Amino acid sequence: MALLQISEPGMSTAPHQHRLAVGIDLGTTNSLVATVRNGTSAVLNDAQGRAMLPSVVRYVDAQQILVGEIAQRNQNDDPINTISSVKRFMGRGLSDLGDTSRFPYRFMTDANTQTVQLRTAAGVKSPVEVSAEILKVLRTRAELSLGGELVGAVITVPAYFDDAQRQATKDAARLAGLNVLRLLNEPTAAAIAYGLDNGAEGVYAVYDLGGGTFDISILRLSRGVFEVLATNGDSVLGGDDFDQRIFCWLLEQNSLQALPASDMRLLLTHARTAKEQLTEHNEARITAMLSDGRVIDSVLSQAQFHEMSNNLLQRTLQPLRRALRDAGLKVADINGVVMVGGATRMPQVQRAVGEFFAQTPLTNLDPDKVVALGAAIQANLLAGNRGADDWLLLDVIPLSLGLETMGGLAEKVIPRNSTIPTARAQEFTTYKDGQTAMSIHVVQGERELISDCRSLAKFELRGIPAMAAGAARIRVTFQVDADGLLSVAAREMGSGVEATIEVKPSYGLSDGEITRMLQESGQYAKEDMQARALRELQTEANQLLDAVQNALMQDGDLLSAAQHADISAQLNNLQSSLQDSDTQVLKRAITALNDVTVNFAQARMDKSVASALAGKKISDLEI
Amino acid sequence: MSAINLDFKQSFFQLFGLAQSFELNLLLLEQRYRALQLQVHPDQAAHLMDTQQRIALQQATFVNEAYQTLRSPLRRARYLLKLNDVDTQEETNTAMPLDFLMAQMDWREAVIEAQQQRDVTALDNLSAQMQSETRELETQVAAKIDGEKDYLAAAELVRKLRFMEKLAEEIHAAYDEIDN
């Protein structure tokens, strides 16, 4: 025990006080929060004793946002407004998502950042905002549990996340009111938890197959230093894809096509359950009833599942080979293989990894919790709570950073697997006499062609002193910080004039934007809520009118004269209410028409439009 | 914790307290590097004020740059020549002995062929040959820089090493391509 406590500037006046800090695993499927208490890292449970918060957010309406299990429970009924696996959309554009019809969401593109947005019952939401809702719940959980405000949090990200995805994650955390102490790579977090717990020494591979992302990291652990030698992965490969394989198989088996969103969601949920069952059992039976009354009853064997998912497994082996090569190592050099992520519970994954490394993978840690536990240990250190032993983490940048050169080629400036923080400067010159501006295009990726890399930022350097071609010397500096985030500065040196500009990638939110969003999140909603609610009710009313009118035309003969009259009266009533700008009136008219058409709907049941008229499933008509 | 203030003007050798030479005790370099990072890494300053975090970022970046430079034989040689005011002219001086250039061309063709044939064993062999050639060149660099202090001769060897490095990159890329 120290005799004297010396306070450093910037530290609290009571440095001996334990500073509350947490590690958060913001996962594709589930999220967790953990902290170090009494020297031990532990996951914090919710009031019901649950550790895992399903990463699902449901926008019921403009006011009501549900997060976690409660949102997940109803996702089959309200798939459009229930956002799951939002991590897959972080920092991504629409074109990155591929076939969007496999998602039950209404996608949009942000005009400024070209990133994906989602149209929900609470308006247009960015993946950053959706993720922030998950983080807010975890923050509240931690503060209630720890009894105080948090000093900060370490948020984990897949090691293979690029700059845009990292920036989006950091923005989400700030939007949730968290002070981000560090973005930590998930496999590295797992290695910390594993290594410190087991006093491990030597070279370890961490195989991390999460819900939507795959990472492989190779680390050297020695005397308290965790040194990442190489990392690789696939940021669009995870347990979700195994569900998807079963889902597609179900469609094929039952000759299904063009399903409504609720049915898609239902079958995906069943696919996931079947996947989990196949971990312990030889076969899984999938029974479900679709919204049109059709019954699905299929049996999937483990062998069939392994066969249909084999190429997904093979896709994880390629990054393994690359990471080993980048680290300059052979399989025989690996002392241990740590398995992380719920998807590594699948026996075929354990077998394939075991075969690749010619050793049994370590599975004594809970693959769902180990990342959060490691993040908590790191958070504790970063918050300034010093334990007896110091340890050091040296991580790397997963993807090369480069610049566009003549002919649309990418020139690498910082190669992948460089230890961070790192910086590299590159000098440029003008190619025309009197040239006063030049444009610089920063990309990330391993491919030679610019078009195959991810564009991070395009900016213009202006105010270069007019000189003969080649006389101006512009030095562009790339700085990658300990979060793996890039900033670029440029400086003109040839003339002795030093103009420095700081460039942030265009998709990131500035501090000002974050503050404004935080401030406005309450106020903005109030002003805009009414208008938005009215707009959405009008849409709903129009869809209902269309549906009822069509139904009357086709099957009006199923109704008695009195029923026909009732429905016509409510039809007219709703039509006239549409002119009204009163949301209450409109809502009542919609309900009234819904009510009188219930019987009609019943009669038409076997004509399979039941769901269109039976009440709340209007939005399904869109599909 | 960020108590030290690194002098950014000192040489990388001074930073790690090592003698300025091509021959280097890599184990000692690694130990000193880790000891320094334990003091300056941004993780040690995460709870401090912005200014201190920025200093930590700069210092840790400097230490990483120094370590990576000294750890790689080619970069170490280039750095030593720079300290002795010798430009290695890697971009401008293309006057290479003809036999060396011919050998390089043969190497590259062999790499391309191995890639096209998806022949990993051939790549392994090429890689092993390339590594032994590189080591031979490095031994010569050590003799020129540390022994004879013939920096101009060393500069030519550095240019050759740069060719070997490019070749290594191509072999690496060929492995990746075969994997695709």
Side-chain angles (χ1 to χ4, degrees), chain A residues 189-465:
Chain A
I192 291 172
Y194 180 83
L196 290 179
D197 240 26
N198 297 275
E201 296 268 312
V203 180
Y204 283 76
V206 182
Y207 181 100
D208 182 355
L209 188 62
T213 56
F214 170 67
D215 283 334
I216 176 74
S217 282
I218 295 173
L219 296 97
R220 191 151 50 115
L221 280 55
S222 79
R223 285 164 285 119
V225 180
F226 295 80
E227 185 182 6
V228 180
L229 301 175
T231 198
N232 213 296
D234 189 333
S235 65
V236 288
L237 176 64
D240 278 4
D241 297 290
F242 290 76
D243 302 351
Q244 197 78 35
R245 284 291 147 91
I246 299 178
F247 170 79
C248 292
W249 175 80
L250 277 175
L251 295 187
E252 228 176 80
Q253 284 285 305
N254 296 281
S255 327
L256 302 171
Q257 33 187 247
L259 289 178
S262 59
D263 286 343
M264 280 171 63
R265 193 64 258 173
L266 179 77
L267 291 184
L268 270 173
T269 308
H270 280 286
R272 172 175 300 176
T273 312
K275 175 189 74 179
E276 286 163 7
Q277 277 174 359
L278 289 172
T279 293
E280 310 244 322
H281 301 98
N282 283 329
E283 56 180 40
R285 183 168 177 188
I286 302 154
T287 51
M289 201 202 295
L290 302 181
S291 54
D292 62 2
R294 267 185 293 179
V295 171
I296 303 295
D297 187 358
S298 302
V299 175
L300 178 64
S301 74
Q302 217 177 45
Q304 280 173 302
F305 178 45
H306 292 179
E307 199 199 316
M308 71 176 73
S309 60
N310 186 48
N311 69 333
L312 293 175
L313 263 182
Q314 295 305 317
R315 264 171 72 190
T316 71
L317 299 183
Q318 182 187 2
L320 253 55
R321 288 190 288 269
R322 292 190 170 187
L324 277 174
R325 270 201 302 276
D326 283 357
L329 296 172
K330 301 255 176 277
V331 163
D333 298 322
I334 304 296
N335 300 105
V337 183
V338 180
M339 299 294 263
V340 184
T344 60
R345 287 207 175 86
M346 286 185 276
Q348 72 264 42
V349 175
Q350 295 191 3
R351 205 165 39 238
V353 175
E355 273 168 22
F356 182 90
F357 285 109
Q359 59 183 293
T360 311
L362 303 158
T363 48
N364 53 330
L365 293 153
D366 185 336
D368 286 316
K369 292 181 178 167
V370 62
V371 168
L373 293 173
I377 299 171
Q378 164 88 332
N380 190 53
L381 180 93
L382 297 190
N385 299 320
R386 249 123 237 289
D389 38 33
D390 250 346
W391 50 276
L392 173 67
L393 177 58
L394 298 165
D395 218 320
V396 300
I397 178 171
L399 295 153
S400 304
L401 290 166
L403 288 168
E404 177 169 358
T405 58
M406 302 292 256
L409 295 178
E411 185 181 324
K412 288 190 175 66
V413 178
I414 296 180
R416 67 170 186 260
N417 294 319
S418 298
T419 306
I420 53 173
T422 187
R424 188 59 51 84
Q426 193 94 347
E427 277 198 13
F428 293 90
T429 186
T430 46
Y431 65 93
K432 272 196 295 199
D433 287 341
Q435 185 182 347
T436 58
M438 69 169 52
S439 69
I440 288 178
H441 186 193
V442 187
V443 294
Q444 188 162 28
E446 308 310 319
R447 309 289 297 277
E448 265 180 43
L449 290 176
I450 283 288
S451 47
D452 294 333
C453 294
R454 175 158 299 274
S455 172
L456 293 186
K458 270 183 189 167
F459 57 90
E460 287 219 327
L461 285 181
R462 296 185 171 283
I464 301 171

Side-chain angles (χ1 to χ4, degrees), chain B residues 112-165:
Chain B
I112 290 167
E113 197 183 310
Q115 183 185 320
Q116 280 165 351
Q117 306 288 324
R118 308 181 81 78
D119 188 345
V120 174
T121 316
L123 269 187
D124 287 347
N125 290 336
L126 283 169
S127 183
Q129 282 179 47
M130 180 269 303
Q131 277 173 29
S132 94
E133 291 267 325
T134 304
R135 259 182 230 118
E136 168 58 31
L137 282 170
E138 285 165 9
T139 310
Q140 294 176 31
V141 170
K144 295 292 172 202
I145 292 181
D146 293 346
E148 302 164 29
K149 306 211 182 311
D150 183 347
Y151 300 131
L152 287 176
E156 188 184 325
L157 289 168
V158 164
R159 288 195 290 277
K160 285 183 175 173
L161 275 171
R162 175 63 191 136
F163 269 88
M164 299 309 286
E165 187 184 67

Side-chain angles (χ1 to χ4, degrees), chain B residues 40-65:
Chain B
V40 302
H41 195 274
D43 282 359
Q44 314 295 323
H47 63 294
L48 303 178
M49 286 186 302
D50 284 356
T51 323
Q52 281 152 306
Q53 291 190 31
R54 204 159 37 241
I55 291 170
L57 174 65
Q58 289 164 349
Q59 295 196 342
T61 301
F62 179 68
V63 173
N64 272 337
E65 175 68 14

Side-chain angles (χ1 to χ4, degrees), chain B residues 23-38:
Chain B
E23 289 289 358
L24 203 63
N25 182 339
L26 288 173
L27 208 64
L28 194 59
L29 171 69
E30 187 182 329
Q31 281 171 11
R32 301 254 163 100
Y33 163 67
R34 291 175 166 213
L36 264 179
Q37 279 294 17
L38 258 173

Side-chain angles (χ1 to χ4, degrees), chain A residues 26 43 120 136 147 226 242 247 259 266 300 364 437 475 548 569 576 595:
Chain A
L26 182 60
V43 170
T120 74
K136 275 182 212 164
F226 295 80
F242 290 76
F247 170 79
L259 289 178
L266 179 77
L300 178 64
N364 53 330
R475 197 175 163 83
V548 174
S576 56
D595 287 348

